[in-house]
Amino acid sequence: KQWYQRRVRGTVFGKSLNTLSNFLSEYNTTNQYIVTVLPDEMRKDVLMPPFLQCGTFSQNLLELNLWMASGGTASQIHYDADHNVHCLIAGKKSFSLIHPNQYHKLNMERLEHTGSNFCPYTNQTSVDLIAEPAVSDVDYQWDMLYPGDCIFIPSQYAHQVRSYGRSISVTLLWDPTLPHDPSSLDDCEIDSSASIAHFNVAWNHKADDIFFDVGYATPYIMRVELMEVWEMWVKHLTRDSGKDEPESQYSEGWNYDQFISVLFDIVRWDLPRCKYTDSWAALIAYGLDQDHNQRISPEELESSTDDLMKAVSHFIDAPNLDDTLYDFCEQKFLLHPSRGHNGLGTAPDR
């Protein structure tokens, strides 16, 4: 398995892929940690925190991460795009939490368009306070977690994590932009023995998956963003035509070429067009065209399946442009015609 460079909400990170056997072989001689998507096979072994079992919280989980540390490790000060709850299973960890109103003292920007960022000081245990005196005035909260403890870290709330000795933990993430319905909490029944396996998670990892799906947006967000792009596109046509209403052929939806151009020109403007990416975009267009009339209507966008919106998310955050990634797109989202028109099928020649 290979780990490619990936875009995470607009930011590129190069990550190296390790194996569990390599990690364990160095476990007793080095201080290191690993993080991965919690395998589906392990979800039954992790209890769902009671405060996430109700309402829209339980319905909108984004991803689950598994962390293992041999001890003596520390993260950089950073913040994440998503809300997350970090639950400790074994060992102990300390958390330093820093409010966004302190970021200027750390020379740390709050990036609205990417959702995540890191503190520029790579060695945070030895900051030059003569050169950076404002760092000593940073207000922060500190706490120690023990097995069974969970800590809530809001979206874009900076934090640093330290592990002391062997530790194992799980994080549960959900998108802060999703709507929350307080009334959905009224009739909720808490089950203290319920595992995470009983709840839906947007992105997961099965044993035979080729890639790790980390850092992608939810299907809900993809639908919202595509509808916003559609409305913007229609307004642009209306303005250019000088008419109050756009021509009916446009108001009925995008044709394939228009949709693919929108993906490249607006949604993924930095992605070069080649035979792989064009074919990939054509597969998505064909899947969204539920009535196969060669157009993609707003109604079809709103009623699209979660798998199709995941395909769009993969396209927007494409990790690589070679045959392996294109095969991955086909393998994971190419559904057989017998399963209906709600999934991707074989795209017609363009």
Side-chain angles (χ1 to χ4, degrees), residues 213-262:
D213 291 328
V214 179
Y216 290 107
T218 63
Y220 171 85
I221 293 300
M222 284 294 94
R223 287 191 194 91
V224 170
E225 291 188 355
L226 282 178
M227 288 302 299
E228 289 176 350
V229 171
W230 162 255
E231 292 171 1
M232 178 178 65
W233 188 78
V234 171
K235 288 179 180 178
H236 176 75
L237 289 177
T238 304
R239 184 195 64 192
D240 287 354
S241 67
K243 301 177 181 179
D244 293 335
E245 297 293 335
E247 297 180 22
S248 60
Q249 61 172 323
Y250 293 127
S251 61
E252 292 173 358
W254 287 306
N255 63 38
Y256 286 9
D257 286 332
Q258 289 167 342
F259 176 76
I260 292 169
S261 294
V262 164

Side-chain angles (χ1 to χ4, degrees), residues 127-201:
V127 178
D128 186 347
L129 296 181
I130 296 178
E132 305 289 344
V135 174
S136 61
D137 296 325
V138 172
D139 294 325
Y140 65 95
Q141 297 169 289
W142 182 92
D143 205 351
M144 183 75 77
L145 264 62
Y146 296 94
D149 291 340
C150 295
I151 188 169
F152 169 56
I153 306 172
S155 167
Q156 295 198 330
Y157 210 101
H159 51 283
Q160 185 195 39
V161 186
R162 292 180 179 274
S163 63
Y164 304 86
R166 168 185 174 271
S167 67
I168 301 173
S169 55
V170 170
T171 51
L172 303 89
L173 294 82
W174 68 98
D175 196 310
T177 61
L178 292 173
H180 174 61
D181 179 13
S183 64
S184 63
L185 303 175
D186 295 341
D187 300 321
C188 178
E189 296 183 4
I190 301 295
D191 182 356
S192 59
S193 62
S195 72
I196 295 177
H198 293 97
F199 296 85
N200 181 60
V201 181

Side-chain angles (χ1 to χ4, degrees), residues 76-82 103 108-112 114-119 153-159:
Q76 274 189 271
I77 297 174
H78 67 286
Y79 61 80
D80 301 307
D82 305 306
Y103 290 174
M108 190 173 178
E109 291 185 78
R110 188 171 185 179
L111 303 177
E112 298 294 342
T114 61
S116 59
N117 198 11
F118 287 82
C119 177
I153 306 172
S155 167
Q156 295 198 330
Y157 210 101
H159 51 283

Side-chain angles (χ1 to χ4, degrees), residues 77-102:
I77 297 174
H78 67 286
Y79 61 80
D80 301 307
D82 305 306
H83 292 321
N84 81 83
V85 169
H86 193 115
C87 295
L88 196 65
I89 296 174
K92 64 178 182 178
K93 286 184 173 182
S94 66
F95 284 74
S96 299
L97 304 176
I98 303 171
H99 193 279
N101 65 17
Q102 301 294 302

Side-chain angles (χ1 to χ4, degrees), residues 11-160:
T11 304
V12 176
F13 299 96
K15 297 292 185 183
S16 60
L17 182 66
N18 200 356
T19 63
L20 187 60
S21 60
N22 286 341
F23 173 73
L24 294 177
S25 68
E26 301 172 351
Y27 187 86
N28 292 320
T29 57
T30 60
N31 293 327
Q32 59 175 307
Y33 69 89
I34 59 172
V35 58
T36 187
V37 178
L38 182 72
D40 283 7
E41 294 78 6
M42 296 179 68
R43 287 172 57 181
K44 67 181 184 301
D45 298 319
V46 180
L47 295 179
M48 184 69 161
F51 55 86
L52 287 179
Q53 291 187 21
C54 298
T56 46
F57 293 116
S58 64
Q59 300 163 15
N60 294 319
L61 287 174
L62 183 60
E63 65 182 58
L64 309 170
N65 293 330
L66 172 67
W67 302 75
M68 297 177 65
S70 58
T73 60
S75 71
Q76 274 189 271
I77 297 174
H78 67 286
Y79 61 80
D80 301 307
D82 305 306
H83 292 321
N84 81 83
V85 169
H86 193 115
C87 295
L88 196 65
I89 296 174
K92 64 178 182 178
K93 286 184 173 182
S94 66
F95 284 74
S96 299
L97 304 176
I98 303 171
H99 193 279
N101 65 17
Q102 301 294 302
Y103 290 174
H104 65 285
K105 301 175 185 178
L106 293 167
N107 288 324
M108 190 173 178
E109 291 185 78
R110 188 171 185 179
L111 303 177
E112 298 294 342
H113 63 288
T114 61
S116 59
N117 198 11
F118 287 82
C119 177
Y121 310 123
T122 54
N123 185 1
Q124 291 160 156
T125 60
S126 181
V127 178
D128 186 347
L129 296 181
I130 296 178
E132 305 289 344
V135 174
S136 61
D137 296 325
V138 172
D139 294 325
Y140 65 95
Q141 297 169 289
W142 182 92
D143 205 351
M144 183 75 77
L145 264 62
Y146 296 94
D149 291 340
C150 295
I151 188 169
F152 169 56
I153 306 172
S155 167
Q156 295 198 330
Y157 210 101
H159 51 283
Q160 185 195 39

